[in-house]
Structures are given as C-alpha cells and as structure tokens.
Amino acid sequence: MTSVAVQIATQASPSTLELRAYGVSKSYGATVALEHADIVLRAGEVHALLGENGAGKSTLVRILTGAIVPDQGDMQLHGKPYQPQNILEARSHQVATAFQELSLVPNLSVAQNLLLPKLEKSSLGLISARKVIAKGQEILSRHGLERIDAAAIVSDLPLAERQRIEIARSLENAGRVLILDEPTASLAETDWLFAQIRKAQARGVAVLYISHRLAEVREICTVATVLRNGRTIATVGLEEASDGDIFEMMVGHPVEKIRPDARAIDGTTQKRIVVENLCSDKVDNISFELREGEILGIAALEAQGQRELFRTLAGLQTRQSGTIKIDGKPAKFNSPRDALQFESGICFLPEERKTEGILAGLSAATNVVLPLLPRIARAGFIGRDAERNAARGAAGQVDMDERYLDFAIGDLSGGNQQKALMARTLATGVKTLLLFDPTRGVDVGTKESIYAAIGAFADQGGSVLFYSSELPEIVQLADRCMVLYNGRIFQEFVGRDISEQRLVAAMIGHHNATETVLETA
Amino acid sequence: MQTNTTPAISPRGHITDYLWRFTRGAGIIVLTYVAFYVLYGYLQPRALEPYAIAAQMNNTAPLALAAAGQTLVVLSRGFDLSLAGVISICNVVLAVMPLEGPGGALVSVLLCLLIGASVGAVNGWLVGYLRMQSIAATLATMIICQGIALVILKAPGGYVAEWITYEMTDRLWSIIPISGLVVAAVVGAWLLIRRTNFGVSIYAIGADESAASLSGINVRRVRFFTFVCAGMLYGLAGFMLSAQTATGNPTSGTPLLLLSFAAVALGGTSLAGGRGGLFATVMGAATLTLLQKVLFSSGVSSFYTGLFQGLVLIAAVVFSGFVARIGDKK
C-alpha cells in the first residue's frame, strides 16, 4: 500500500497485547459487511479506526463487543481465545462499547440505564429505587458527570447528555477494552471526553476510537487502522502519516484538497433571493442577498439561529417581521411544498436525515424520484422503468452507484442515504437550495461527491445557501460566507478572505478578526 | 400512588410533581371511575350496598384479569389475540369436567393457569425466538384454541362446579368480594414484579428493543416470559368467568378480546409499548363494566352500550393525550 503503512506487529509478546483480531468476517446473505479485518489494540493505547461509511467499522465494533458473532476469524484477549456470544459475555471480559446510535432505553432513568440489566436490590430481593439512584449517581460522579441527575428519565435529557451517559456506562464496564463509536457525534466540545479517555488510558485500558473528524483523532490517538470495503488496508502511526495519506487509504485514490477559485460573482448577475430585516424566533434582523450561481456559506457555533433562519426561509417557521423576495417577488409560502413551486423554487435539505429526510421502508429509487412523480406518472400510475430511469439520472449527478437504487434506503450506509437525499433535492428542479449541514456524519468520498454536485449546480446558475458545522467545508465550497452570532450576521467574508482562523474568531464573537489574523499571517 | 408511570422515579417531594405523576398514571381513570360510581349511586341508591359492590366486582373480574394480561404484552410492544382462545378453553374445560369442593377448585384453577401458560409459551416461542409478528402469531394460536374449545364442547352447556360458582362470587365476612381479592392479588403481584429486573426489562424492550438488547437485556427471554405471564392471567380470567356464568360456552372468550384492548387504552397504557401500567388497565376494565350498569339504571337501551363505551374511550384517550402535551411543555 503506501510507504507509511506499518505491518501489524504479530511478533510482539502476547502479554502486552490486549485484544487482537485476525481475519474477522461477517456476511448477511449476499451482502458482505466485513470481509477481512485485522486489528490489534494495546493496553494504554488509543487506537483510531478510520474508514468511509460502509467500510465495516460498525460491524467490526459489534463483533468485538459481542453484539454479533463473526462468521470467521480469530480473536484473542490477553492471549486467550475471545469469542463473546453476547454483550454481557464481552462485558464480563471487561470489553465495553459506547454505541454510535446510543443504547440507552428512553423510558428508564439514567441510573437504571447505567445498571441494566441487573439493578441494585434491597434485602427483600426487590429493586430498591433508592439504591439504584445512589449507585447511578456514584457512577456518574466517578466519570465527572455529577451534575446529571441519576433519577432523571433519559428521554427528558438533551442528546449531548445522553451521549455522555452512554460513554460513562461504557467507561464503567471497560476494564480492559473501551470502544467508542463516534463519541463526539452530539458533543460540542471534547474536553470532558478526552479527560475520561486519558484516565482510562492511565488505567491501562486499550481504547478503540472511531470518528470522522481527523483533527480530533490526531489529538487523542497515536495509531490508526484504516478499513476500506470491509478489509483492513493498513495500520499506521499517526505521527508519520499525513492527512493526505490517510484520506488516500480511506478512499483508495488521492483526494483533491485545494480550494477552487471562487466563481466570479459580480454585481451583474440576477439577485435570486433578497432578505431584508428578517426576524423570527432566534433570528434577529438579518438582511442578505443571494445571487444566481452563488454559493453562500453560513458559519456559526451551535444554536446561533442558523437552524431557525433555514427553517424560516423554507417556510417551516413563520417570520415575525421583515421581507423575503424571490426573483423580485415577495415570498408568500407557509410550507416547503409551496416553497418548491414559488417562482424558481426553493428546496430545503434538513439536517436530521433519519427523521426528516428519508422514507426508510421504500427503495432508494423511490426516495430519489418522489418530487418527480407528477412528471413521470402516466394517468396517475407510475411505471417501474420510468421510476428507475428518472432515479438513475438523478443518482448520476451525485455519483451514487446505480446498484444501490433497488435497496430499501434504510439499509444503505449513511453516506449513500445522504447522496440519495442530495439527488432528490437536485431532482426537484428548483433554482435555490437550502442545505443544512449536507455532509454531517458522512465519509470523505461522499463529501467529495456532494461538493462536486453543489459546484455543478451553481455553475449552471443555481443558488446555494448552506450551513456547515465543519469549517474546512465552508472554506472549500463557499464563494462568500456569513458568520452568525446570536441570531445576527456578525461578519461577512468573500472569496480568498474565507479562512478557518478568521471564521473561528468571528464565530466566537471576536471583532476585528480580519485585522488580527492578517497581522499574524 | 406509584403504580402506573414508568418504574421507580426518585421522590422529588414537590407537590406538583406528585400531582403530575398521578395524572400521568392511573389518576385520570380512577377519577373517571369515581365520577361514574357517584352517578351510578345517584341513579341507583342501593349501589353502595356490599351486595351491589360485589356484583359489580364479579362482573368486572374476568375482563380486568384478561386486560391485565394484555397489558403485559402491550407494554413490551406486542398484541395478544390468543386471550379469546385461552379463556374459551378454560371455560369449556371447567364446564365439562366439574371438580367439586375446595380441592377441586384448586385443581381447576391450577389447570386454567397451566392451559394459559402453555399457550403463552407457544406465543412466546413464536414471537420471541422465531421473531414472528405478535399479531400474526397470536392470531394463529387464537384460532387453534378456539378450535380446541369447540372440540371439547360443541354447543353451550355443561355445569361449572357449584363450589366454584358460589364461593368465588361470594363475599368474605359479607363485605369483601372474593373476586375483588383475586384482582387485588394480581395487582399486588404486579407491583412486586415491577421491582424486579424482569419488570424493568418489560418496559425497556417495549420502549426500544435494540437499545435494551445492547444494554444486555435478554430480549427473547423477556418476551417469552411476558407471554407466559399474560397467558396465566387469561387462564385466571377464564376461571373467574366460569364462576360467574356457571356454564360452558366455546366462544365465551371472544367478547372480551376487543374490550381488553379498550381497557388497556382507557387506562392510558400506550399501545406503542413502554408506557403505562397494569393497575390503570384494571380500573379501565372496571369503568367499562360500570358504564353498562350506569346506562342500564338510567334506562338507556342496552343497544347503546357499545356506542357509549366507544365514546368514553375516545374521550379518555384524547384527554390523556392533551394532558401529556401540557406536561411536555411544562
């Protein structure tokens, strides 16, 4: 493979090794989820597992933690055979996982969840609510979460707290191996998490860390194993591997990382959207314009009004005052459906693809062509071939493999779901797209495809307003960028002035950002 | 009253918290029941005499027990149609094979529990281990059980043992109805089960099966035993129904099937699983049967009973949904 690839140290003495897995595979019928995975986790080491969506990371995690039993492969823990048949068996070997999709039961209390499946009992042999809560609170405080009420019902807690509880539970059960699957998906900051990981590391726990955020991986991990298409590609030391090397191993080909020149947007192109003094819940007096062929980025910390701004523009939230003009006409729509048909049309791609985007039971093809149905229907009926042909065209625009079109979309990986949604958005034929974090939680390859699709859309005269939680994305994609702070437009950057440092400074409300950065630069 | 909402919440001592939990739990249905009983007492002054209360209790017990079993299955996110078949089989067995005396009654009740547990085990195996959908699996067992009931007794007839029909519908010290004690014992047993790992697991798999499984709960085993427990309650319901009717009927369980769902919904247990409780269902069943009495004593034709039961059900579900929404905004 690449020059930095380091062979797995098979010759090291088993006593220093915590968990080794060789040639692990798992298939579901004809679908191969994991073909041949090798990984060695050492005590006191934080090991990253990298790979695109669908590379088999989650399957490997589930195998290591006993949630599924592999078809083949050899696993050893502390030099002894390790074949967990279920989660509890893995837990009895002190191997525990914080799952990506969170495995907390929503209608139970925090303490009950921490102690499942065996709760503390009183002398009568019945569960003692008091003891359960006391034990739960003890576990929480052991992991720096005293502020969480152990008696609170999980569904009443914000997502970030639930993720911390999930992590705390795995920390509690992981005496030897701790597996963290996308532990920062809902966490805004990593301080608490990294402190806990370092504590576990000091105890001699082997940690497997899975994340799409390479900066984070570099901060906490020393070694990385890269999976691609269900196979281990290489295990590398992170010190000697550049981002480019890693992306190349993940994707299988070099990734273009140079920022393309901003398209020349001069004052002569038509104004597609003009927003003046817009106010609504959390949106405070925002004015801006979006021209034909322009990609306008929005950068902001969590909850600065970006969500509300998008929802207001899409007609999902009522505005309190201000005007929105589309193609020169005042917007009068109260639903996304109306927005699609208003003048040249606006289409909104929401952030929560599982709840707001996909229709999980239907095929990817049907999901893609939904907005096209009236156009391809004959006398109200839809031919299978017509649907496939229409879907194929749309899928091509986002570089989505045709063979996925016949699968139920819920069975596809997150990256392919997002591609399908992007294809659907493009298929609406509107001229303006509102994209809210369009690459959230997807892999590098999918990101590139989505960027290319957005770029092509703008080149054909389409206008794009997008928010992203990842700054490199804004830097790479946006012709112009507005930073929101407290519901207002705090600062605006154009073309080459868009850099991560400046955006960060403006996002935390630091004025004169441009000057200070220019001086240091 | 800590009988209904999700299990074991810490006492936070705030009066509004208590009120809140009360209304979310069995509160609404208890108040509804009391309101109907007051109306009944107004229309029928003798309603408060021990005899009338016992008669009311005897009428309620079969439905209350059957619906209690249904509640267990619904809490774990499932439906159980085999209820109708199990009750029918128990009823015809007791009518065909009357065993006199207290010893005979004991054998009879054990036999009913055994029949219920066996059918429940089949359901639990189909749903838990073979992963059949609960409606399909229990529909099949219901049809089979109804067939068996017809094989045992072709047409209504036979006599249930006199000891059972007299003693089980009697009053202890002329005051406390025996049937009430049976129902109370079931509610008591449930309160204990709720404080076991099994009880907590029923709520957990009802709310999120995959999370429960990733939390280390043996989902298949919990489902299996949930159906077994439910089946035993149907068996007990069949026993109490036989004591009440004193005769055998191979279709005697059928009318209870849909009413059991009505009682569950009326008690505020979510048909989507994971939320609710058994005591509220018992009160729901009691309200449904009391409604019949109220309508009868106010001179409304019995043809309208179903109409009113349906309306009360809709009103209760809408109202509890309304209360839940206020609570979410709180």
Side-chain angles (χ1 to χ4, degrees):
Chain A
M1 222 4 259
T2 46
S3 55
V4 285
V6 172
Q7 273 304 305
I8 292 168
T10 43
Q11 66 278 13
S13 73
S15 62
T16 65
L17 299 178
E18 286 287 348
L19 177 62
R20 8 160 117 209
Y22 294 121
V24 178
S25 71
K26 178 74 188 178
S27 307
Y28 297 97
T31 321
V32 180
L34 198 62
E35 201 182 322
H36 186 102
D38 303 324
I39 197 161
V40 178
L41 307 178
R42 289 189 180 79
E45 185 179 78
V46 186
H47 193 122
L49 182 61
L50 301 170
E52 294 193 288
N53 288 330
K57 299 188 301 278
S58 291
T59 309
L60 180 58
V61 165
R62 284 167 175 266
I63 287 172
L64 293 179
T65 202
I68 54 181
V69 179
D71 300 334
Q72 276 177 355
D74 174 41
M75 295 197 283
Q76 291 186 350
L77 184 66
H78 281 202
K80 292 188 185 124
Y82 170 67
Q83 286 151 339
Q85 300 297 306
N86 55 52
I87 300 247
L88 287 185
E89 210 180 311
R91 214 187 260 185
S92 71
H93 286 101
Q94 303 189 34
V95 178
T97 301
F99 290 96
Q100 181 182 4
E101 66 274 36
L102 303 192
S103 59
L104 302 178
V105 179
N107 61 346
L108 300 185
S109 72
V110 173
Q112 285 175 320
N113 266 290
L114 287 169
L115 298 176
L116 275 179
K118 295 251 182 299
L119 304 183
E120 292 291 297
K121 297 195 170 157
S122 67
S123 47
L124 291 169
L126 294 174
I127 291 169
S128 154
R130 199 172 45 78
K131 281 191 183 173
V132 166
I133 289 165
K135 186 80 189 294
Q137 204 72 55
E138 184 192 322
I139 294 174
L140 287 172
S141 53
R142 192 152 46 229
H143 303 292
L145 295 173
E146 304 81 0
R147 65 197 153 76
I148 296 178
D149 180 5
I153 298 298
V154 164
S155 60
D156 293 341
L157 296 175
L159 198 53
E161 296 291 50
R162 282 189 242 172
Q163 181 135 36
R164 288 192 186 97
I165 294 163
E166 173 93 18
I167 293 167
R169 176 165 74 178
S170 62
L171 285 163
E172 186 65 23
N173 292 312
R176 289 176 175 172
V177 181
L178 171 67
I179 302 171
L180 301 168
D181 193 356
E182 297 279 358
T184 52
S186 324
L187 297 185
E189 45 84 27
T190 53
D191 298 354
W192 173 81
L193 175 66
F194 286 0
Q196 302 309 315
I197 292 178
R198 297 216 163 88
K199 260 177 22 191
Q201 208 178 349
R203 287 206 311 266
V205 176
V207 182
L208 183 63
Y209 189 92
I210 297 160
S211 176
H212 279 303
R213 303 178 186 173
L214 203 51
E216 220 173 83
V217 166
R218 285 195 178 279
E219 196 180 335
I220 193 78
C221 305
T222 45
V223 185
T225 292
V226 179
L227 283 184
R228 188 171 78 225
N229 294 333
R231 300 185 69 91
T232 295
I233 296 301
T235 296
V236 298
L238 280 164
E239 299 258 301
E240 55 263 36
S242 73
D243 285 5
D245 295 335
I246 291 172
F247 287 141
E248 195 178 330
M249 283 185 265
M250 284 166 67
V251 186
H253 58 80
V255 180
E256 199 71 50
K257 285 301 283 185
I258 304 149
R259 184 181 190 282
D261 278 339
R263 267 171 300 280
I265 304 297
D266 50 36
T268 59
T269 51
Q270 286 236 310
K271 293 175 187 172
R272 183 146 281 143
I273 294 187
V274 179
V275 175
E276 276 170 359
N277 307 323
L278 183 69
C279 292
S280 84
D281 181 34
K282 287 195 182 166
V283 173
D284 185 7
N285 202 11
I286 283 183
S287 307
F288 67 91
E289 33 190 70
L290 178 63
R291 291 175 178 275
E292 256 178 36
E294 186 178 33
I295 303 178
L296 176 56
I298 300 244
L301 296 175
E302 303 267 296
Q304 299 297 320
Q306 63 268 43
R307 191 176 149 77
E308 289 72 16
L309 173 65
F310 275 73
R311 291 176 67 85
T312 309
L313 291 174
L316 281 163
Q317 192 172 315
T318 49
R319 58 175 183 263
Q320 285 151 5
S321 64
T323 56
I324 302 172
K325 280 187 190 159
I326 293 160
D327 298 324
K329 294 206 176 151
K332 283 179 291 200
F333 48 76
N334 297 311
S335 73
R337 186 187 154 83
D338 292 345
L340 277 176
Q341 284 151 7
F342 191 84
E343 294 300 317
S344 63
I346 291 187
C347 185
F348 174 51
L349 181 67
E351 61 178 324
E352 296 282 347
R353 64 171 170 260
K354 283 208 173 110
T355 53
E356 296 179 15
I358 62 168
L359 303 164
L362 301 181
S363 75
T366 310
N367 266 281
V368 169
V369 300
L370 269 184
L372 296 175
L373 292 183
R375 260 180 278 162
I376 59 172
R378 293 227 176 103
F381 294 100
I382 296 163
R384 264 191 78 88
D385 289 342
E387 178 181 290
R388 272 218 71 167
N389 287 335
R392 207 176 291 161
Q397 291 180 321
V398 291
D399 197 21
M400 182 178 172
D401 200 324
E402 263 179 43
R403 70 197 166 95
Y404 292 126
L405 287 174
D406 287 332
F407 285 94
I409 196 166
D411 295 341
L412 297 182
S413 69
N416 276 316
Q417 287 181 5
Q418 193 67 9
K419 278 187 186 174
L421 281 184
M422 194 68 205
R424 170 160 102 199
T425 310
L426 292 170
T428 55
V430 300
K431 290 287 187 192
T432 307
L433 301 185
L434 306 176
L435 309 175
F436 198 93
D437 226 352
T439 64
R440 186 194 187 104
V442 307
D443 54 82
V444 183
T446 305
K447 275 184 186 167
E448 293 301 318
S449 308
I450 290 177
Y451 295 164
I454 293 173
F457 176 77
D459 286 339
Q460 287 158 20
S463 310
V464 179
L465 181 71
F466 80 102
Y467 161 76
S468 176
S469 53
E470 292 182 39
L471 292 182
E473 185 164 308
I474 293 177
V475 174
Q476 194 184 344
L477 210 52
D479 301 323
R480 193 154 63 89
C481 175
M482 305 189 300
V483 177
L484 287 195
Y485 185 72
N486 253 340
R488 290 169 165 271
I489 295 177
F490 187 77
Q491 208 166 0
E492 195 180 313
F493 300 94
V494 182
R496 291 187 176 279
D497 285 344
I498 306 175
S499 76
E500 281 190 48
Q501 291 157 306
R502 288 176 205 184
L503 291 180
V504 167
M507 277 161 68
I508 56 173
H510 194 291
H511 248 310
N512 303 328
T514 325
E515 288 83 342
T516 38
V517 173
L518 281 179
E519 277 163 26
T520 54
Chain B
M1 185 165 295
Q2 222 210 43
T3 45
N4 205 266
T5 50
T6 41
I9 304 167
S10 79
R12 262 178 251 168
H14 219 274
I15 188 91
T16 52
D17 267 9
Y18 281 116
L19 271 177
W20 174 235
R21 274 161 53 196
F22 184 69
T23 50
R24 275 209 123 166
I28 292 174
I29 191 62
V30 169
L31 292 178
T32 311
Y33 183 79
V34 169
F36 274 122
Y37 217 101
V38 168
L39 182 62
Y40 179 43
Y42 170 77
L43 293 167
Q44 188 66 261
R46 278 187 295 172
L48 295 173
E49 287 175 14
Y51 167 77
I53 293 177
Q56 184 55 31
M57 204 57 239
N58 290 337
N59 268 336
T60 300
L63 178 60
L65 293 168
Q70 187 71 264
T71 307
L72 297 183
V73 177
V74 169
L75 280 177
S76 71
R77 193 179 289 180
F79 296 102
D80 194 347
L81 307 184
S82 71
L83 174 155
V86 172
I87 291 175
S88 301
I89 290 187
C90 292
N91 177 236
V92 295
V93 164
L94 295 190
V96 167
M97 197 179 67
L99 300 168
E100 285 300 340
L106 183 66
V107 172
S108 298
V109 74
L110 289 178
L111 198 59
C112 287
L113 292 174
L114 182 69
I115 292 169
S118 319
V119 176
V122 173
N123 290 333
W125 176 66
L126 292 174
V127 177
Y129 291 85
L130 299 190
R131 307 194 60 82
M132 267 178 85
Q133 289 188 341
S134 62
I135 286 197
T138 58
L139 180 64
T141 49
M142 175 185 85
I143 293 170
I144 293 170
C145 289
Q146 285 177 330
I148 293 173
L150 277 169
V151 170
I152 297 172
L153 185 68
K154 290 197 173 39
Y159 296 97
V160 175
E162 275 190 14
W163 196 91
I164 296 174
T165 57
Y166 284 117
E167 298 298 327
M168 297 314 291
T169 55
D170 204 1
R171 282 164 284 158
L172 197 59
W173 309 302
S174 318
I175 297 175
I176 305 165
I178 303 289
S179 54
L181 285 179
V182 171
V183 174
V186 167
V187 171
W190 166 244
L191 292 182
L192 295 181
I193 288 176
R194 273 171 60 97
R195 293 186 55 188
T196 62
N197 289 320
F198 174 62
V200 173
S201 299
I202 292 178
Y203 281 93
I205 67 172
D208 189 336
E209 185 175 325
S210 70
S213 147
L214 291 178
S215 298
I217 291 173
N218 188 334
V219 173
R220 292 191 281 188
R221 196 164 60 198
V222 172
R223 275 208 192 288
F224 180 82
F225 284 109
T226 304
F227 275 103
V228 171
C229 288
M232 287 165 72
L233 285 174
Y234 307 149
L236 200 55
F239 179 76
M240 295 308 288
L241 182 73
S242 307
Q244 182 73 11
T245 60
T247 181
N249 181 347
T251 60
S252 56
T254 311
L256 294 178
L257 178 59
L258 290 179
L259 281 178
S260 79
F261 285 111
V264 169
L266 202 51
T269 295
S270 163
L271 291 178
R275 192 160 47 82
L278 190 142
F279 175 68
T281 297
V282 168
M283 291 310 295
T287 305
L288 285 173
T289 41
L290 179 61
L291 191 59
Q292 294 172 352
K293 278 276 167 56
V294 172
L295 292 172
F296 182 74
S297 47
S298 57
V300 178
S301 158
S302 65
F303 296 122
Y304 292 101
T305 307
L307 178 76
F308 280 96
Q309 285 178 332
L311 289 177
V312 168
L313 178 59
I314 291 172
V317 172
V318 168
F319 183 67
S320 65
F322 177 68
V323 171
R325 266 203 297 283
I326 295 176
D328 288 342
K329 282 183 188 160
K330 198 178 74 161

